[in-house]
Amino acid sequence: GSLSQAHAYVEECARLGADAIKFQCHDGDPTSEWRVPPVWPQDRNREDYWKRTGFKGWDWLGLKEHCYRRDVMFLCSPFSLEAVASMDHLVPAWKIPSGRITDNALLNAVSTTGRPVILSTGMAIEEEISQAERRLRARGSQVGVMQCTSLYPCPAEEVGLAHVLRWGGLSDHSGTIYPGIAAAALGAQMLE
């Protein structure tokens, strides 16, 4: 929830040569229960947490403009229809978080914007990934898919580099640079 840290993040990513910076927008996120109880007592549920730590319209606009000034693409993963509406005028493309790959209403909403969509596979099975990709393409969206294993941190043997050959991208949670280097060597077009 620190706007100053978010701007420092933009600066550091730009300095390091990132092509894009991806944030998350949880406005109206329908997931309200905690999967793991938090250590901070002030939030009764995830909705309280997102309200306390989330950014508002002017905050997002400032971050987008900061990215633009630093020649870095501003991206955002929407976690709800409200988030799509909030971010629609700011993003040149969408990144669908792995936990929302089966949310057909969300997929429909982003596809109506006409912007490219990046899908993160996460815990989705192959049929769910294919269905999401087909749904988006049928509605005219340009789609990229990133292999993702939803483990934090992800052990090297669970990264799933073999899937990079099929999908063309990697969303890595290993906390090291090595899966990204390996994915690039395999021809990945997108690395996160």
Side-chain angles (χ1 to χ4, degrees):
S2 169
L3 191 57
S4 63
Q5 282 186 337
H7 281 284
Y9 174 69
V10 170
E11 277 301 311
E12 188 64 9
C13 289
R15 186 184 71 77
L16 294 170
D19 296 314
I21 298 172
K22 191 263 308 174
F23 293 92
Q24 296 180 353
C25 183
H26 290 271
D27 291 353
D29 188 341
T31 307
S32 62
E33 296 305 315
W34 292 106
R35 289 187 297 266
V36 177
V39 295
W40 44 90
Q42 69 267 39
D43 303 316
R44 294 183 321 258
N45 55 40
R46 287 167 56 110
E47 182 179 3
D48 286 352
Y49 172 76
W50 297 132
K51 284 180 181 176
R52 181 173 60 81
T53 62
F55 298 138
K56 303 298 178 233
W58 289 108
D59 301 332
W60 286 121
L61 181 60
L63 286 167
K64 184 215 190 253
E65 289 174 350
H66 189 171
C67 289
Y68 179 78
R69 286 191 310 273
R70 298 293 282 140
D71 198 28
V72 176
M73 185 186 303
F74 173 85
L75 296 175
C76 190
S77 287
F79 279 74
S80 67
L81 297 178
E82 188 176 318
V84 172
S86 296
M87 303 308 294
D88 185 31
H89 65 290
L90 298 174
V91 297
W94 299 100
K95 166 85 177 354
I96 301 299
S98 61
R100 294 291 193 265
I101 198 169
T102 59
D103 185 339
N104 289 334
L106 183 73
L107 297 177
N108 291 346
V110 299
S111 69
T112 62
T113 69
R115 292 184 192 85
V117 180
I118 302 167
L119 292 174
S120 187
T121 61
M123 294 181 283
I125 61 173
E126 192 161 329
E127 182 56 29
E128 292 169 333
I129 299 163
S130 296
Q131 284 176 359
E133 190 175 12
R134 280 194 306 270
R135 173 178 288 277
L136 290 164
R137 288 189 193 284
R139 294 170 155 274
S141 295
Q142 183 181 6
V143 181
V145 180
M146 299 179 84
Q147 161 57 23
C148 173
T149 302
S150 295
L151 293 172
Y152 307 90
C154 182
E157 62 273 9
E158 299 290 332
V159 168
L161 287 172
H163 295 292
V164 171
L165 294 170
R166 175 167 184 208
W167 303 122
L170 176 66
S171 176
D172 177 36
H173 301 134
S174 70
T176 71
I177 63 170
Y178 306 109
I181 292 170
L186 291 170
Q189 299 298 304
M190 299 177 292
L191 293 174
E192 177 183 36

